[in-house]
Amino acid sequence: MTLRIALRPAPLLLRFILPRPSLLLHQLPTRRAGHGPGQRVIHYMGHQAGATQPPTPHKTIHFCSQCAGPVDLKFVSSEDRWRHICSACSHVHYLNPRNVVGCIVEHEDQVLLCRRGIQPQLGKWTVPAGYMELQESTAEGAARETLEEAGAAVEIVAPYVHFDIPGIGQAYLLFRARLAPPFTFAAQAPESLETRLFPLEDIPWDELAFSAVSLALRYYVEDRRSQSWRMHHGVIRKQAGAGPNDPGSFKLTDYMGLPLGAERIQTQA
Amino acid sequence: MTLRIALRPAPLLLRFILPRPSLLLHQLPTRRAGHGPGQRVIHYMGHQAGATQPPTPHKTIHFCSQCAGPVDLKFVSSEDRWRHICSACSHVHYLNPRNVVGCIVEHEDQVLLCRRGIQPQLGKWTVPAGYMELQESTAEGAARETLEEAGAAVEIVAPYVHFDIPGIGQAYLLFRARLAPPFTFAAQAPESLETRLFPLEDIPWDELAFSAVSLALRYYVEDRRSQSWRMHHGVIRKQAGAGPNDPGSFKLTDYMGLPLGAERIQTQA
């Protein structure tokens, strides 16, 4: 894989606006995706599947779901990839990334955050989000998680952030959303110690649970303050063994900020 | 779930441009996502997980991957959802949607399509796409599939279409991409009977393999012809038991076309 993209430091405007210098530990790339000749695009010229060593599986499969036979990790040369294969019935057990879906919920120029009541990251703040389930769409899953974790019904406005985190087999899709009538939320929920609306200047940056949420909220603040929305896409590369949001333990690569059209941010009445 | 959005017929321009009336069997919703007050957003007011009956599983789990014990489908009231649970060790076996990633590859105003050499939909045309693997990003997966199925190295331009297909547990993410130097592709590949560049007016609409690809290519044609790109998001609802692209067997709901900014489509030299 060849990447021609260089990360750039945060723009001066952002450096000026953000309340704490420590926020810039993970500087946000600000390149905008190009559509015309001469503009930069991401070059993926190929792929090496790691033939020389088996991957660290994100989930360990010991026995076959079909016949209960013992499952081995074997290299499949035709696929150039390691697979979990039953040594009795030869069934191949595929493992694929999982989608994390959630909402950045706006209300009266504030955003709705939940303080986690379960592990991992018990006591840290996040946007309502969780694993997408079968038989629902990403937006339905995002709205469901918001109802479960914040007790809030929402209107989905638009997909906003898509981040891959290959190191942990996750793909994040966060939507912009608004509190829906009657504009209420639960102060507590089974998985949340506390739910609150935060003005942008009070977002608890040093107490956020997950790298993807930290980055998404930073772009959200940047977009609101520059008065123009983008659709954000990128890849979060984590240091092996790092925690979910350790300072300095991850970086955003392959970033694209797709500038959205003429519409300007409207402040809710 | 309450949806306030009504599907609208294809605009006159599109009706005029599209070469065959049969293409309009699945009319494309054309609403653009709204960001300001008074504009429409999608209202997800809640979610019913289907407590009264177990879901039809997309993958059947008979035995536990951890202990080889028998697995049952049980209703978990705290989650309001049916789960596969080992009756011996109580391990919960989660099933989640899988991501299908691929590329709409442009070259000299044409798009690269592959005629499938494997089931399902053997002999039908598609864009290069397949299941996202662990340890890769969506864009890397899309580029890998393009290399595998079309023998083509590509430059990823931008995410372009995100479609959920809840009925089959898939979420599609297709990128716009360009052939990369040396601008070659394989006439055949292990999974493709044939690979060809198609001018837009020659896209084999009646021989496309998958509903998501049909819809994505129609939006692609619409965007190119209207000279403005959008990021497309929606949910493909399939009739139970329908094939992958049966005429009249699916519809697109919850559609949003996010208009991208000032950039205009540039024709490649």
Side-chain angles (χ1 to χ4, degrees):
Chain A
M1 187 183 84
T2 307
L3 289 182
R4 291 200 192 159
I5 288 163
L7 299 187
R8 294 178 188 173
L12 282 177
L13 179 66
L14 180 63
R15 290 179 203 226
F16 182 73
I17 286 171
L18 289 178
R20 295 180 196 84
S22 67
L23 293 185
L24 298 174
L25 272 179
H26 309 288
Q27 290 177 330
L28 298 181
T30 54
R31 189 185 61 82
R32 300 199 166 208
H35 297 294
Q39 291 181 280
R40 288 183 179 176
V41 292
I42 295 178
H43 291 243
Y44 291 96
M45 306 300 289
H47 175 84
Q48 283 77 41
T52 53
Q53 53 182 0
T56 306
H58 297 286
K59 183 163 73 169
T60 306
I61 298 174
H62 299 294
F63 300 101
C64 178
S65 63
Q66 303 304 298
C67 78
V71 166
D72 296 325
L73 197 55
K74 291 181 182 170
F75 186 72
V76 180
S77 57
S78 62
E79 297 192 65
D80 193 26
R81 199 168 288 276
W82 294 83
R83 298 285 188 204
H84 289 85
I85 301 177
C86 178
S87 59
C89 75
S90 299
H91 187 84
V92 182
H93 297 268
Y94 293 97
L95 291 176
N96 301 92
R98 292 200 290 181
N99 292 307
V100 176
V101 293
C103 292
I104 299 178
V105 183
E106 310 167 344
H107 186 64
E108 295 175 348
D109 293 331
Q110 300 172 94
V111 292
L112 190 66
L113 301 182
C114 308
R115 199 154 69 85
R116 288 178 59 80
I118 56 172
Q119 293 292 359
Q121 298 293 79
L122 177 69
K124 301 275 188 169
W125 291 92
T126 184
V127 299
Y131 286 117
M132 182 183 176
E133 299 275 1
L134 285 179
Q135 300 182 307
E136 69 185 6
S137 69
T138 47
E140 287 168 344
R144 172 184 53 74
E145 290 287 346
T146 306
L147 197 61
E148 289 174 3
E149 298 189 353
V154 292
E155 301 171 348
I156 299 284
V157 177
Y160 182 59
V161 164
H162 182 274
F163 288 150
D164 297 303
I165 316 181
I168 55 172
Q170 291 183 351
Y172 264 73
L173 185 55
L174 300 179
F175 291 81
R176 287 179 51 227
R178 300 182 194 140
L179 270 190
F183 310 113
T184 56
F185 57 90
Q188 289 181 303
E191 296 184 8
S192 301
L193 298 174
E194 187 180 356
T195 303
R196 275 175 53 195
L197 286 167
F198 284 86
L200 299 194
E201 58 272 23
D202 293 341
I203 290 173
W205 297 107
D206 296 333
E207 295 296 322
L208 293 178
F210 304 112
S211 54
V213 172
S214 295
L215 291 167
L217 285 174
R218 285 177 202 181
Y219 281 123
Y220 178 83
V221 169
E222 191 177 325
D223 285 358
R224 279 202 80 95
R225 289 183 171 162
S226 69
Q227 294 283 303
S228 59
W229 293 115
R230 290 167 290 175
M231 163 86 201
H232 303 274
H233 174 82
V235 182
I236 296 175
R237 312 279 180 185
K238 286 186 175 282
Q239 277 178 16
N245 198 24
D246 295 346
S249 71
F250 61 90
K251 61 181 178 178
L252 185 64
T253 69
D254 304 6
Y255 173 73
M256 296 182 182
L258 297 173
L260 298 182
E263 293 151 314
R264 309 294 286 179
I265 295 175
Q266 305 280 346
T267 303
Q268 284 182 271
Chain B
M1 187 183 84
T2 306
L3 289 181
R4 291 202 192 157
I5 288 162
L7 298 187
R8 295 179 188 174
L12 282 176
L13 179 66
L14 181 62
R15 291 179 204 227
F16 182 73
I17 286 171
L18 288 178
R20 296 182 197 82
S22 68
L23 293 185
L24 298 174
L25 272 179
H26 309 288
Q27 291 177 329
L28 298 180
T30 54
R31 190 185 61 83
R32 299 200 167 207
H35 297 293
Q39 290 182 281
R40 287 182 180 176
V41 293
I42 295 178
H43 290 243
Y44 291 96
M45 304 299 289
H47 175 84
Q48 283 77 42
T52 54
Q53 54 183 359
T56 306
H58 297 286
K59 183 163 73 169
T60 306
I61 299 174
H62 299 294
F63 300 101
C64 178
S65 62
Q66 304 304 298
C67 77
V71 167
D72 296 326
L73 196 55
K74 291 181 182 169
F75 185 72
V76 179
S77 57
S78 62
E79 297 193 63
D80 194 26
R81 198 168 289 276
W82 295 82
R83 298 285 188 204
H84 289 85
I85 302 177
C86 177
S87 59
C89 75
S90 300
H91 187 84
V92 182
H93 298 269
Y94 293 97
L95 291 176
N96 300 92
R98 291 199 289 181
N99 292 307
V100 176
V101 294
C103 292
I104 299 178
V105 182
E106 310 167 344
H107 185 63
E108 295 175 349
D109 293 332
Q110 301 172 93
V111 292
L112 190 66
L113 301 181
C114 308
R115 200 153 69 85
R116 287 178 60 80
I118 56 172
Q119 293 292 0
Q121 298 293 78
L122 177 68
K124 301 274 189 169
W125 291 92
T126 185
V127 299
Y131 287 117
M132 183 182 176
E133 300 275 1
L134 286 179
Q135 299 183 308
E136 69 185 5
S137 69
T138 48
E140 287 168 344
R144 173 184 52 74
E145 290 287 346
T146 306
L147 197 61
E148 288 174 4
E149 298 189 354
V154 292
E155 301 169 348
I156 299 284
V157 177
Y160 181 59
V161 164
H162 182 274
F163 288 149
D164 296 304
I165 316 182
I168 57 173
Q170 291 183 350
Y172 264 73
L173 185 54
L174 300 179
F175 291 81
R176 287 179 51 227
R178 300 182 194 139
L179 271 191
F183 310 112
T184 56
F185 56 91
Q188 289 180 303
E191 296 184 8
S192 302
L193 298 173
E194 187 180 357
T195 303
R196 276 175 51 194
L197 286 166
F198 284 88
L200 299 194
E201 57 272 22
D202 293 339
I203 289 173
W205 297 106
D206 296 333
E207 295 296 321
L208 294 178
F210 304 112
S211 55
V213 172
S214 294
L215 291 167
L217 285 173
R218 286 177 203 182
Y219 281 122
Y220 178 83
V221 169
E222 191 177 323
D223 284 358
R224 280 202 80 94
R225 289 184 172 162
S226 70
Q227 294 283 302
S228 59
W229 293 116
R230 290 167 290 175
M231 162 86 200
H232 303 273
H233 174 81
V235 182
I236 296 175
R237 311 279 179 185
K238 287 187 174 281
Q239 276 177 16
N245 198 24
D246 295 345
S249 71
F250 60 90
K251 62 180 178 179
L252 185 65
T253 69
D254 304 6
Y255 172 74
M256 296 182 181
L258 297 172
L260 299 182
E263 294 151 315
R264 310 293 288 178
I265 296 176
Q266 306 280 346
T267 303
Q268 284 182 271

